[in-house]
Amino acid sequence: MKKLLLTGVAGLALAAQMASAQVDEDAPMGGTMIVTYKDDVATLDPAIGYDWQNWSMIKSLFDGLMGYEPGTTTLRNELASDVQISEDGMVYTVTLKDGIKFHNGREIVADDVKYSLERVTNPETRSPGAGFFGMIDGFDSWNAGEGDGLSGVKVIDDKTVEITLSRPDATFGHVLALNFASIVPKEAVEASGEDFGREPVGSGAFKLAEWSPGQRVVFERFEEYHRENLPKLDQVTFEIGLEPTVALLRLQQGQADVPGDGIPPAQFLQVMNDPAQADNVIEGGQLHTGYITLNTQMAPFDNVDVRKAVNMAINKDRIVRIINGRAVPANQPLPPTMPGYAEDYEGYAFDPAAAKEMLAEAGFADGFSTELYVMNVDPNPRIAQAIQQDLSEIGIDAEIRSLAQANVIAAGGEADQAPMIWSGGMAWIADFPDPSNFYGPILGCAGAVQGGWNWAWYCNEELDARAAEADAMTGAENEEARIEAWKSIYLDVMEDAPWVPVFNEQRFTLTSDSIAGDDSLFVDPVHIPVNYDYIYSKDAE
Amino acid sequence: MQAYLVRRLFESALILLGITLVTFILLYLVPADPARQIAGRSATAETVQNIRDQLGLNDPFFVQYWRYLTALFQGDMGRSYLQRAEVSELIAARLPASLLLMVAAIVTELIFGLTIGIIAALRRNRPADHGLMIFSFVSISAPQFVIGILLLYIFAVKLGWFPIGGYGTFAHVVLPAITLGFLGAGWYSRMMRSSMIDVLGQDFVRTAQAKGLAKGRIILRHVIPNAVLPIIAMIGIDIGLFMSGIVVVESVYGWPGIGQLAWQAIQRVDIPVIMGVTMVSATAIVLGNLLADLVAPMIDPRIKTK
C-alpha cells in the first residue's frame, strides 16, 4: 500500500487553502509593483542563493517538485502531480505534471529532476544547501566527489522519478520544497556556467527581464506558467541601492510599493503613529527566535544552575520594548507559529531575586565576570546593553564585545572563545516550517564542532537519539506523535538551559496603496517580504 | 623629463605591489572565514572544508598571495565568492557611474570653491569673508551621510526638484555631486582665498594698478589665472578623498558605483571583490598623484622635475 505525502497536513490547513484559492480567482491580472532593496542581489542561482533577499525572488523564478500554499506553511505539489511514498517511508515516486515548461520553452522531464538534484549536491557546485539532501541514498559518496551521480535518484520514464532514501525522514517533503531543490534546465546551466546566477532560467511564475547591477532587477510574467491566472502582476521591479530610510521616503511619495528591507527602526513609531500609513502595515509571525547562547563547555556556564539563573535574570519585556514592540517574548527555542510549540510551557519567569539566590547556591554569591558577544548593527548593541544591565543585577559583570557579523560567527564556532552570544542579526530563522529545523545545527551534537553554529556547544546525546527517532516517524498517521516527540525534546533542552530564548520577531510589512491581496500574502512565512506571485495591483481592476 | 616619468611610473608600480601585499595580509588576518560565509548556517563541517579546498583557502599565505598576484598580472582578478561573477566584470559595470559622479563632483567643488575663495579674498576681513569662511569650515567638517540625507529630504522629498535617489538622468547626478563636492568646496575655497591674497600682494599686481588698469581687468586677467594654478594641481591628489567619499555618498543615493560594491563586499567577506575594488581605487589614487606631479611643472615652471 502506498500513501500520499500530503494527506497528513491537509486537514490542518484546509481553511487556509480555501482562503488562498479565493484570492486567486477574484484578483485581476496586470499592473506592476516596485520593491526596494539596499543591497545588490547576490545571485539568482537556486543552488547558491541563501539570503532573505534572493530567497523569495528565486521562489518566483523557479519551481521545485513541492511548494507551499500561498501565505501558509502547508506543503503542496508544485511541479509534481503526484508523490507516492512506500510503506517503509524509504522510496518516493514522483510523477511530473503535464505541460510544464522552462522559461526557454522546453518541456520539463524527469531527467531534469535528476540533473538538478545532482547539481546541488555536487561538491563542485559549492552549494550552501547540499547538506539538506543528506537523506538521499548515495549522497555521502557523491557529495565527497566520488561516483557519477546520486544513486538514490532514478529516472523511470520521462514523467516519473524514483527517489530512494538511506533513512526514513519525515522532513523530506519540506526538503523538496527548498529553493535548493529547484528544477533547472541542464542546457541553460551549462551555457551560462558560473554566470547562471545572473542569467537564471527556471519555470517559475516570473522570468528575468533585466538586471542592471546596483540599479534594478526586473521580473516579467512567464506566459506559460503551469498555474492558471498567475502571476497576477505583469512585472515586478526591484530597485536596488536604496537605504531603508530613503526607501521609506520613496514609498511615501508613491514611488515604491514594498520596502524590502522593512521599516527602518528609527522610523517605526512614526509610521505606526500615522493612521494612514499604519493601515498599510501588515503584522505577522515569523519562524524566528532570538536567543542568548551560554557556552556549556566554558566555566562557569558548564554549571546548569548558572545557566538557569541567567535565564531568570533577563527582563525580556524590556528588550521587546527596546525594539519598539516588534517581537513577542520567548520562553523556548521554537517560535509560536511552529508546529510543536508548547503553548502551556511557562519557562523561566523573570525573577532577579531567585536568580541571585540560585547563583549563590551554585557557588557564585559574588557573581563573576564574563563576555557577551554581539553583532555591531543596531539594535543589537542596545539589546546587549539591556542584557548587561540585567546580568549586573545578579552580580554578573559582562563585558560587551561588539563585532562585525562574520567575526561573531567565527567566535561562536570556537569552543573556548565566546561565553555568551546575543544571536540578534544572526538569529535562527527556519529554512522550512518543521520543528526539526531548529535542532540539528544549533542545538545538536553535530553543530557543536569547530566552525559550527551550535554556539552553546550543547551536546546531549540522548536528545540527539530522540531527534533521529522523531525524524524517522514518517507518514500521516505518525504526524501528531512526531510533533509531540519534538515538543518534548525542546522542553528537555530547556531543562539544560543552554540558551536564554529572548523573543520571537514579528514581521511588519509596509505596502503602498496601489497593491493588494490577502493579508497572509504580505507576511507569507516562506516568501519574504511578500509573495510576489499572488499579490495584485489595484490599477489592474 | 622622460627619465623622471620612467622613474615615477616604476615607483607607482612598486606602491601598487605594496598595496596588494598589505591588503592581502589584512584580509588574511581577518578572523572571519569566507568559506563559512559561502556555506551558510546549515552547512556541515565537510561542506565548509570542501569549499576551503576549492578556493585554495587552506594553502599557506604565500602560496595564496603568489596565486593571486600571478593571476592579477594576467588581468584576472578572480571571481566573487558570493556572486560567482568575474570581479573585473563587476567593477567594469560600476566604474562608469563612479567616474561620472567623480567628474560631476570635481566640477561642483571647483565652481563653488573657487567662487567662494575669490569673493572671500576680495572682501578680506569683511563680513562677507567671515560668513563664507564659516560656511567653508562647516562644509569641511559636516559628515557626508548627514548632508546627503538632508539634501535628499529638502530638495527631493519636500521640494520635489530631484528624484529620490537612483541613477540615469542629469537630475539624478545633481544631489550626489553636491554632497560629494561639498567637502572639497570648503577646502578649495580656503586654498583659493589664501592663494588670491598671496597673488594680490605681489609686485606685478601693484605694477598693473600703477599702470592704471581697471580693477576688474586686473582680477580677471592677472590675479585669478595666477592664483588658480596651484589649485589645479591639487585635483589629482584629491582623488583619494573622493574614493573614501563615494562609499558613503553612493550608499545614501543608491548610486550604482564601486563604493556601493565595496561596502557590500566588506560586509560579506567577499575577498576577491574587496581586493579588486581596493586595487582599482589605489590605481586611481596613484595615477592621480602622478598626474598632479606631472602637470604642476607645466603650469608653474618654477617647480622642477627631478
Side-chain angles (χ1 to χ4, degrees):
Chain A
M1 201 200 96
K2 295 191 169 185
K3 55 206 169 192
L4 283 172
L5 177 66
L6 290 181
T7 45
V9 275
L12 205 113
L14 202 61
Q17 248 168 315
M18 288 164 74
S20 50
Q22 200 76 37
V23 172
D24 305 349
E25 279 158 28
D26 297 347
M29 312 260 291
T32 63
M33 164 164 88
I34 296 173
V35 181
T36 65
Y37 276 113
K38 178 176 173 296
D39 288 345
D40 207 355
V41 180
T43 174
L44 289 173
D45 186 333
I48 295 162
Y50 197 24
D51 59 52
W52 284 111
Q53 184 182 9
N54 61 26
W55 191 255
S56 183
M57 296 172 86
I58 288 169
K59 284 214 173 291
S60 286
L61 291 175
F62 291 87
D63 287 319
L65 296 173
M66 308 289 294
Y68 294 95
E69 292 292 342
T72 74
T73 54
T74 312
L75 276 172
R76 70 171 179 188
N77 288 332
E78 210 62 57
L79 293 180
S81 64
D82 181 52
V83 180
Q84 298 283 331
I85 311 171
S86 67
E87 193 61 27
D88 59 1
M90 299 287 275
V91 181
Y92 284 61
T93 309
V94 183
T95 313
L96 294 176
K97 281 180 182 163
D98 287 322
I100 43 176
K101 283 184 178 165
F102 285 120
H103 296 156
N104 64 12
R106 182 171 71 74
E107 186 147 345
I108 301 173
V109 292
D111 282 321
D112 294 313
V113 176
K114 186 170 168 66
Y115 172 74
S116 303
L117 292 178
E118 284 178 350
R119 172 171 184 258
V120 72
T121 48
N122 186 332
E124 280 170 24
T125 307
R126 302 200 301 273
S127 169
F132 285 114
F133 299 89
M135 73 287 279
I136 297 180
D137 193 32
F139 170 86
D140 290 340
S141 57
W142 173 238
N143 192 238
E146 295 154 20
D148 57 354
L150 266 178
S151 57
V153 183
K154 280 198 198 72
V155 175
I156 305 297
D157 59 45
D158 265 4
K159 288 270 154 221
T160 319
V161 190
E162 193 184 87
I163 305 174
T164 309
L165 307 187
S166 55
R167 56 171 193 261
D169 193 320
T171 66
F172 191 57
H174 289 295
V175 169
L176 288 180
L178 285 171
N179 280 356
F180 300 116
S182 297
I183 307 305
V184 295
K186 183 180 182 180
E187 68 277 14
V189 174
E190 286 182 349
S192 296
E194 294 265 42
D195 291 326
F196 186 65
R198 301 246 137 203
E199 302 155 354
V201 179
S203 60
F206 288 99
K207 57 183 182 184
L208 182 69
E210 184 200 332
W211 184 332
S212 310
Q215 291 181 60
R216 74 181 66 81
V217 175
V218 182
F219 286 4
E220 64 182 25
R221 170 197 304 283
F222 174 42
E223 296 291 352
E224 293 176 276
Y225 184 51
H226 69 93
R227 287 186 193 277
E228 296 226 342
N229 295 325
L230 281 176
K232 292 301 175 193
L233 295 163
D234 287 338
Q235 192 178 302
V236 180
T237 302
F238 301 90
E239 293 276 356
I240 304 299
L242 295 172
E243 282 280 336
T245 312
V246 178
L248 186 65
L249 292 174
R250 277 221 182 172
L251 186 125
Q252 288 163 346
Q253 299 292 306
Q255 296 170 15
D257 296 302
V258 176
D261 298 309
I263 309 168
Q267 275 87 11
F268 184 72
L269 289 178
Q270 179 203 329
V271 169
M272 298 307 279
N273 289 335
D274 171 10
Q277 285 190 76
D279 270 357
N280 285 344
V281 175
I282 297 136
E283 182 181 353
Q286 202 173 182
L287 298 171
H288 161 278
T289 303
Y291 48 86
I292 307 164
T293 57
L294 308 172
N295 192 326
T296 56
Q297 297 187 12
M298 276 177 88
F301 294 112
D302 53 351
N303 182 332
V304 66
D305 288 333
V306 172
R307 301 199 296 266
K308 284 181 180 171
V310 171
N311 258 283
M312 291 189 285
I314 306 298
N315 185 346
K316 296 166 188 175
D317 291 320
R318 183 170 70 151
I319 296 175
V320 168
R321 279 200 300 277
I322 288 176
I323 56 166
N324 294 323
R326 302 174 82 163
V328 290
N331 62 15
Q332 55 189 300
L334 291 185
T337 36
M338 182 73 95
Y341 176 77
E343 297 264 355
D344 41 6
Y345 177 68
E346 285 176 2
Y348 299 96
F350 174 54
D351 188 348
K356 201 163 178 170
E357 210 170 292
M358 188 167 232
L359 207 57
E361 278 167 28
F364 295 95
D366 300 329
F368 54 86
S369 295
T370 185
E371 285 176 341
L372 172 62
Y373 281 69
V374 55
M375 178 179 159
N376 59 5
V377 172
D378 187 67
N380 298 308
R382 286 190 289 136
I383 292 172
Q385 282 167 11
I387 296 169
Q388 185 185 40
Q389 244 174 47
D390 289 339
L391 291 174
S392 74
E393 289 291 312
I394 62 164
I396 300 175
D397 172 27
E399 185 192 334
I400 294 177
R401 306 263 289 147
S402 179
L403 304 168
Q405 185 192 42
N407 300 2
V408 180
I409 292 172
E414 299 293 331
D416 55 357
Q417 206 175 332
M420 303 178 82
I421 301 177
W422 160 242
S423 73
M426 308 154 292
W428 199 256
I429 300 183
D431 297 294
F432 50 81
D434 186 276
S436 65
N437 196 235
F438 262 79
Y439 187 79
I442 47 178
L443 285 166
C445 295
V449 293
Q450 199 204 9
W453 288 78
N454 184 343
W455 300 335
W457 289 80
Y458 173 64
C459 175
N460 183 333
E461 274 162 17
E462 186 229 324
L463 288 185
D464 257 27
R466 274 163 60 192
E469 238 168 72
D471 272 350
M473 295 164 80
T474 59
E477 69 278 8
N478 291 325
E479 184 67 17
E480 215 170 304
R482 176 170 176 272
I483 298 293
E484 280 305 313
W486 271 113
K487 187 186 278 184
S488 75
I489 289 173
Y490 286 110
L491 295 185
D492 287 349
V493 165
M494 286 313 292
E495 285 303 304
D496 287 334
W499 289 4
V500 183
V502 177
F503 58 58
N504 307 110
E505 252 170 46
Q506 291 284 94
R507 265 167 71 193
F508 293 84
T509 310
L510 176 64
T511 73
S512 70
D513 286 322
S514 55
I515 53 168
D518 194 82
D519 273 359
S520 66
L521 299 175
F522 290 91
V523 285
D524 192 307
V526 201
H527 298 250
I528 292 171
V530 297
N531 190 319
Y532 302 128
D533 302 2
Y534 285 79
I535 281 169
Y536 66 92
S537 164
K538 287 183 190 165
D539 302 336
E541 277 170 311
Chain B
M1 182 71 192
Q2 228 165 25
Y4 174 75
L5 186 67
V6 169
R7 203 191 76 214
R8 285 302 309 266
L9 279 174
F10 178 73
E11 280 172 5
S12 302
L14 264 186
I15 290 170
L16 287 176
L17 192 69
I19 290 170
T20 62
L21 184 63
V22 171
T23 320
F24 211 87
I25 291 175
L26 286 177
L27 289 172
Y28 185 80
L29 293 178
V30 169
D33 181 355
R36 290 190 68 202
Q37 290 282 309
I38 298 167
R41 47 189 201 163
S42 298
T44 57
E46 292 94 79
T47 309
V48 176
Q49 202 49 43
N50 165 41
I51 291 172
R52 293 187 64 87
D53 280 342
Q54 282 193 41
L55 298 177
L57 293 171
N58 286 328
D59 296 335
F61 173 80
F62 279 106
V63 174
Q64 289 188 42
Y65 179 62
W66 183 248
R67 189 168 49 221
Y68 183 82
L69 212 58
T70 45
L72 191 66
F73 273 111
Q74 290 158 19
D76 177 8
M77 301 172 101
R79 275 181 182 272
S80 157
Y81 286 165
L82 288 144
Q83 308 199 26
R84 306 275 169 110
E86 293 269 6
V87 172
S88 50
E89 279 175 24
L90 289 175
I91 292 177
R94 285 163 173 277
L95 207 53
S98 285
L99 288 177
L100 174 66
L101 178 58
M102 207 138 71
V103 170
I106 289 174
V107 171
T108 311
E109 67 177 13
L110 284 179
I111 292 175
F112 280 99
L114 298 189
T115 314
I116 291 170
I118 291 167
I119 295 172
L122 296 177
R123 296 271 177 278
R124 193 179 168 194
N125 292 333
R126 281 190 250 172
D129 178 26
H130 295 306
L132 287 170
M133 283 307 105
I134 289 173
F135 169 81
S136 81
F137 181 70
V138 169
S139 76
I140 288 172
S141 351
Q144 283 171 320
F145 187 82
V146 175
I147 299 282
I149 293 279
L150 215 59
L151 291 180
L152 199 65
Y153 188 72
I154 297 171
F155 295 102
V157 177
K158 284 290 160 195
L159 298 173
W161 294 354
F162 302 103
I164 309 172
Y167 176 75
T169 65
F170 177 73
H172 284 101
V173 81
V174 175
L175 292 181
I178 291 177
T179 312
L180 190 57
F182 202 62
L183 188 147
W187 187 245
Y188 280 109
S189 63
R190 297 194 148 237
M191 293 212 316
M192 187 62 185
R193 178 178 175 273
S194 57
S195 172
M196 281 280 288
I197 290 169
D198 212 31
V199 177
L200 279 171
Q202 288 194 9
D203 292 345
F204 72 90
V205 176
R206 214 173 313 134
T207 311
Q209 281 168 334
K211 277 200 304 188
L213 285 177
K215 193 178 179 199
R217 196 181 156 89
I218 298 173
I219 304 289
L220 283 176
R221 294 286 292 273
H222 298 284
V223 181
I224 294 178
N226 280 296
V228 88
L229 289 181
I231 287 169
I232 298 294
M234 290 297 295
I235 295 173
I237 297 165
D238 237 21
I239 289 175
L241 206 63
F242 278 125
M243 281 297 168
S244 60
I246 56 172
V247 175
V248 175
V249 174
E250 287 184 354
S251 136
V252 172
Y253 290 97
W255 192 263
I258 58 170
Q260 205 191 40
L261 184 69
W263 178 236
Q264 287 175 24
I266 290 166
Q267 285 176 310
R268 301 180 189 186
V269 208
D270 198 341
I271 289 176
V273 178
I274 302 176
M275 282 299 296
V277 176
T278 309
M279 287 320 295
V280 169
S281 347
T283 309
I285 294 168
V286 168
L287 282 181
N289 278 301
L290 181 62
L291 216 60
D293 289 355
L294 292 178
V295 168
M298 292 181 200
I299 299 174
D300 188 344
R302 283 169 299 182
I303 303 170
K304 285 196 183 125
T305 53
K306 280 179 191 160

